[in-house]
């Protein structure tokens, strides 16, 4: 099972950080989205797109276009504030606001979620209670390996599982990891997809029963302006490498990936899984 997901946030990123070639970033974002949607149509694939509430608010046509092509829409928070330092009240408010806007734009209930920067960790796993209270049934926020921001290395990582928080159940689809050099690595999403050579990505996917991907437009936008600056404690050199390595060839690599493997959305994966057979993670007080 290979699941294809995208985080739709870059329209907001350009506005928010005031970076890049402002005069032409919107056409670039829209062009890459068109390329992606056309590539998916060609292979008759459906994917899940986790959308930012603020993108749905300011660029509702982007979300409407994705939904009109038959893809599954999820929520990726309102404006991408990392959850690490937020209070339960702030997270509840953010989730409610984001869901209201996205549901209003697509005219459908949204039940799938991915936290900004995979920022649900061992320390704030109570967030699952808030998500369940807001009607979330499927979550893709767990990054079960070490990570600069977020990450939940101790979480069950062999495939989907059920999270039980008090009386709520959420079906979890974690990012898939592969073990080599005595470490768990992610190679099917974000910067990792750009950095790992294609032969390695291919062998990881071939050897795995469960693959969860995540992509952004910025992973493909080779015309973006490169910035050399530190970010949240990471040095400028490390940040530059993570942000831009492999960018010139990444969209071609992605198209090759789509041509060589079959992909489904989270919604389609949910229908294929026998949920009675997956492990249950108990989280919180009982
Ligand atoms: Zn994101």
């Amino acid at each position: 099972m290979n699941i294809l997901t995208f985080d739709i946030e870059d329209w907001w990123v350009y506005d928010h950080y005031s970076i890049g070639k402002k005069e032409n970033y919107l056409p670039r974002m829209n062009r890459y989205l068109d390329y992606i949607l056309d590539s998916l149509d060609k292979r008759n694939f459906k994917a899940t797109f986790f959308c930012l509430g603020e993108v749905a608010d300011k660029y509702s046509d982007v979300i409407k276009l994705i939904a009109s092509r038959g893809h599954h829409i999820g929520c990726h928070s309102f404006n991408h504030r990392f959850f690490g330092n937020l209070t339960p009240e702030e997270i509840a408010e953010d989730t409610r606001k984001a869901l209201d806007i996205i549901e209003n734009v697509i005219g459908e209930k949204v039940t799938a979620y991915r936290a900004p920067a995979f920022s649900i960790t061992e320390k704030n796993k109570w967030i699952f209670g808030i998500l369940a209270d807001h009607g979330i049934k499927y979550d893709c926020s767990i990054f079960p390996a070490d990570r600069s921001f977020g990450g939940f290395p101790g979480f069950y990582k062999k495939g989907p599982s059920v999270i039980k928080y008090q009386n709520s159940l959420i079906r979890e689809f974690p990012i898939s990891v592969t073990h080599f050099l005595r470490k768990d690595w992610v190679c099917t999403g974000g910067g990792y997809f750009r950095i790992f050579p294609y032969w390695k990505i291919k062998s990881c996917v071939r050897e795995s029963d469960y693959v969860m991907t995540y992509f952004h437009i910025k992973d493909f936008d080779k015309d973006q302006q490169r910035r050399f600056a530190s970010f949240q404690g990471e040095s400028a050199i490390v940040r530059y490498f993570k942000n831009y390595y492999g960018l010139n060839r990444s969209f071609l690599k992605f198209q090759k990936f789509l041509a060589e493997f079959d992909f489904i959305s989270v919604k389609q994966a949910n229908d294929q899984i026998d949920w009675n057979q997956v492990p249950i993670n108990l989280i919180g007080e009982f």
Side-chain angles (χ1 to χ4, degrees), residues 8-30 52-60 62 78-79 227:
I8 295 299
E9 65 195 45
D10 295 292
W11 288 256
W12 167 85
V13 171
Y14 274 90
D15 284 345
H16 183 72
Y17 288 108
S18 308
I19 55 164
K21 297 170 182 168
K22 290 291 281 183
E23 71 284 2
N24 63 10
Y25 78 92
L26 274 180
R28 289 206 319 272
M29 300 295 102
N30 295 332
L52 223 56
E54 208 167 292
V55 173
D57 193 25
K58 286 195 185 153
Y59 304 98
S60 59
V62 168
F78 179 70
N79 59 2
R227 282 196 311 168

Side-chain angles (χ1 to χ4, degrees), residues 15-286:
D15 284 345
H16 183 72
Y17 288 108
S18 308
I19 55 164
K21 297 170 182 168
K22 290 291 281 183
E23 71 284 2
N24 63 10
Y25 78 92
L26 274 180
R28 289 206 319 272
M29 300 295 102
N30 295 332
R31 193 168 65 235
Y32 274 104
L33 179 62
D34 283 341
Y35 289 159
I36 290 168
L37 294 174
D38 290 347
S39 308
L40 297 183
D41 280 355
K42 235 186 256 169
R43 296 279 280 129
N44 206 14
F45 293 158
K46 293 289 179 263
T48 297
F49 290 76
F50 293 101
C51 303
L52 223 56
E54 208 167 292
V55 173
D57 193 25
K58 286 195 185 153
Y59 304 98
S60 59
D61 286 352
V62 168
I63 314 302
K64 280 183 188 157
L65 172 69
I66 298 168
S68 75
R69 303 280 283 261
H71 297 289
H72 179 214
I73 303 289
C75 176
H76 190 41
S77 84
F78 179 70
N79 59 2
H80 219 274
R81 283 193 295 169
F82 295 3
F83 284 167
N85 297 318
L86 299 191
T87 64
E89 292 72 27
E90 286 171 322
I91 292 169
E93 163 71 11
D94 181 282
T95 307
R96 189 197 52 72
K97 207 158 126 190
L99 287 172
D100 279 356
I101 293 169
I102 301 168
E103 289 174 355
N104 206 16
V105 166
I106 65 167
E108 249 180 67
K109 202 95 193 103
V110 171
T111 54
Y113 192 86
R114 172 172 290 147
F118 301 102
S119 55
I120 300 183
T121 66
E122 182 68 51
K123 286 185 193 149
N124 59 13
K125 54 194 179 186
W126 43 263
I127 291 172
F128 286 115
I130 296 174
L131 296 180
D133 288 347
H134 286 78
I136 296 302
K137 302 206 175 332
Y138 317 107
D139 178 76
C140 302
S141 303
I142 299 288
F143 190 100
D146 290 324
R147 184 178 161 81
S148 314
F149 317 111
F152 201 147
F155 197 88
Y156 178 77
K157 55 191 83 180
K158 290 186 181 155
S161 60
V162 173
I163 291 173
K164 188 170 187 319
Y165 181 83
Q166 293 169 349
N167 292 321
S168 311
L169 297 174
I170 291 190
R171 293 173 175 180
E172 177 63 36
F173 295 83
I175 291 296
S176 49
V177 295
T178 173
H179 196 82
F180 58 92
L181 299 175
R182 292 198 234 158
K183 219 172 129 41
D184 286 327
W185 300 88
V186 168
C187 60
T188 54
Y192 303 92
F193 183 81
R194 281 185 278 107
I195 291 163
F196 278 106
Y198 188 69
W199 63 264
K200 185 64 195 168
I201 296 170
K202 202 164 144 175
S203 78
C204 291
V205 174
R206 283 206 175 132
E207 286 161 16
S208 312
D209 296 331
Y210 169 78
V211 172
M212 168 59 86
T213 64
Y214 71 100
F215 295 102
H216 312 84
I217 302 283
K218 70 168 181 268
D219 296 320
F220 307 129
D221 177 18
K222 61 182 168 53
D223 296 322
Q224 66 187 274
Q225 187 177 317
R226 270 66 158 172
R227 282 196 311 168
F228 191 76
S230 59
F231 180 72
Q232 300 214 350
E234 255 183 359
S235 74
I237 293 176
V238 169
R239 210 55 229 163
Y240 193 88
F241 178 74
K242 284 186 179 178
N243 280 345
Y244 309 121
Y245 183 84
L247 200 50
N248 286 343
R249 292 180 41 79
S250 65
F251 197 63
L252 282 174
K253 200 173 175 183
F254 174 69
Q255 285 178 310
K256 213 164 147 187
F257 195 46
L258 286 187
E260 286 191 50
F261 295 99
D262 289 336
F263 291 96
I264 54 177
S265 67
V266 172
K267 195 174 168 188
Q268 290 170 315
N270 174 60
D271 293 339
Q272 290 182 14
I273 293 168
D274 178 358
W275 288 96
N276 294 317
Q277 301 298 318
V278 309
I280 294 186
N281 297 289
L282 298 175
I283 285 183
E285 304 294 319
F286 293 93

